[in-house]
Each structure stands twice: as structure tokens, then as C-alpha cells.
Amino acid sequence: MRLIGEIDPTRPLLVLAVAEEAAHLTTDLPVLLTGMGKVNAATAVATVLARGPRPTAVVNLGTAGALKSGFAGTTHEVSAVIQHDLASEVLASLTGVTYGAPIGLTGRGPVLATGDLFVAEESARARLAEQADLVDMEGYAVAQAVRQTGLPVRLVKHVSDDAGEGAAQAWRESVDGCAVELARWVRENL
């Protein structure tokens, strides 16, 4: 976890997983780099928000894999996010409580599936495409941690790869270009 800048109670906080995704941000907004994965994202966001001061909102920026065609190289504000690696239905049948329910957001874009699995197999991609349009490793955790505080949260993802075979190589090759587009989105929307 690394916080760049100071949180301003009159401005939003930008949250990204890794420095590569933030490489082209030229803003005076604070940036929190959480590390990859749900645990890193949730604990970093919760820690920073608990310390205070609190920002006006949290904007999670990052890369995502496309689970369906038509998303390559585009930026989207997510409309809903789900966890794809939590057996919510099984847990509900055992306890009577739903854990990890889908989170609706204010964006009008695609549905994002979050999990700690870097999706690089066609079978996983096909399975996830039945529930969502994009996949990442931090979005749900950020959204859930922020919602616990009552602050608004937005998830903005730039598609880096097709979340199937070759996804890791595609991410390495495209992450800098994705960072350029995420920085452009910040300049134009915040």
C-alpha cells in the first residue's frame, strides 16, 4: 500500500492496484496504490479511510479483461460489480445470510466480475461471461470497503486484454497505453 499525496476532504481519492496503471496520472488528486488482489485492495482502502481525513468519494481506476467481444481497448464506468470467486449461494444455504451480493453502482456501463484469479484460460473466461462483461482483481473489494464508510464509489476500467489465453502477455504489452487512457479519463471527468 502506498498513498501518494494527501487526502483532501473536498476532493476524491483515486485508487489503483499498481504503479503501472497510474504511470500517466498528472493530477493533484491523492492516489492510493493498493497492490493486486481483493485482500490488498480492501485492506488498503479500509486503512486509509479509517485514518482520515475522508475524501468526497473514491474512484477506482484500473485495467480489466474483456469477457465478451466489443470491449477491446475501451474505457468504461462500471454499472455493477460481482465477486466471481465467492460461493455466495452455498454460504447463504449454510448460514441464511447472503455474503458478497452484487453491488449496483452509478455508472451506466458493463458488469464487472472481481476475483483473485487472473483469468488467462478460455474455460474460465466463458464461465464468467455468463455473468459479466469484464473481469478484474480489485473492483468489488474497493466498492465494498468504500460502501461500508457511506462514501460514494465509482469503478472505471480500461480493457487491457481478452481475459483468455495470452492475457498475461497482452496485459504487459498494453498496460502503459491503458494508463494513458485512464489518465485521460481523469482529466476529462474529475
Side-chain angles (χ1 to χ4, degrees), residues 87-101:
S88 295
E89 292 173 10
V90 173
L91 296 175
S93 73
L94 294 171
T95 65
V97 177
T98 300
Y99 295 95

Side-chain angles (χ1 to χ4, degrees), residues 28 34-35 37 45 51 59 89 97 115-117 125 136 143 186 189:
D28 60 351
T34 65
V45 170
R51 281 184 195 155
V59 180
E89 292 173 10
V97 177
D116 282 325
L117 172 70
R125 182 179 192 244
D136 84 337
V186 169
N189 294 280

Side-chain angles (χ1 to χ4, degrees), residues 61-94:
L61 302 165
T63 55
L67 299 170
K68 300 174 181 173
S69 61
F71 288 98
T74 55
T75 305
H76 303 275
E77 186 166 350
V78 173
S79 63
V81 60
I82 63 171
Q83 283 188 89
H84 70 75
D85 61 352
L86 181 68
S88 295
E89 292 173 10
V90 173
L91 296 175
S93 73
L94 294 171

Side-chain angles (χ1 to χ4, degrees), residues 33-49:
L33 301 177
T34 65
M36 288 186 174
K38 294 189 311 184
V39 171
N40 287 328
T43 57
V45 170
T47 298
V48 167
L49 294 181

Side-chain angles (χ1 to χ4, degrees), residues 4-16:
I4 302 165
E6 293 186 25
I7 295 178
D8 179 342
T10 66
R11 311 277 313 273
L13 169 65
L14 305 180
V15 174
L16 299 95

Side-chain angles (χ1 to χ4, degrees), residues 31-170:
V31 174
L32 175 62
L33 301 177
T34 65
M36 288 186 174
K38 294 189 311 184
V39 171
N40 287 328
T43 57
V45 170
T47 298
V48 167
L49 294 181
R51 281 184 195 155
R54 291 175 31 163
T56 57
V58 173
V59 180
N60 173 223
L61 302 165
T63 55
L67 299 170
K68 300 174 181 173
S69 61
F71 288 98
T74 55
T75 305
H76 303 275
E77 186 166 350
V78 173
S79 63
V81 60
I82 63 171
Q83 283 188 89
H84 70 75
D85 61 352
L86 181 68
S88 295
E89 292 173 10
V90 173
L91 296 175
S93 73
L94 294 171
T95 65
V97 177
T98 300
Y99 295 95
I103 297 173
L105 301 165
T106 58
R108 296 180 182 215
V111 173
L112 176 69
T114 297
D116 282 325
L117 172 70
F118 185 90
V119 178
E121 296 178 358
E122 294 302 322
S123 60
R125 182 179 192 244
R127 178 180 54 81
L128 292 174
E130 295 174 9
Q131 307 171 65
D133 305 299
L134 305 177
V135 64
D136 84 337
M137 296 176 68
E138 298 83 25
Y140 190 96
V142 172
Q144 181 66 0
V146 173
R147 285 176 48 128
Q148 294 293 320
T149 69
L151 289 172
V153 62
R154 297 166 77 181
L155 305 182
V156 177
K157 302 295 173 173
H158 188 82
V159 178
S160 59
D161 57 79
D162 283 333
E165 284 188 37
Q169 183 64 30

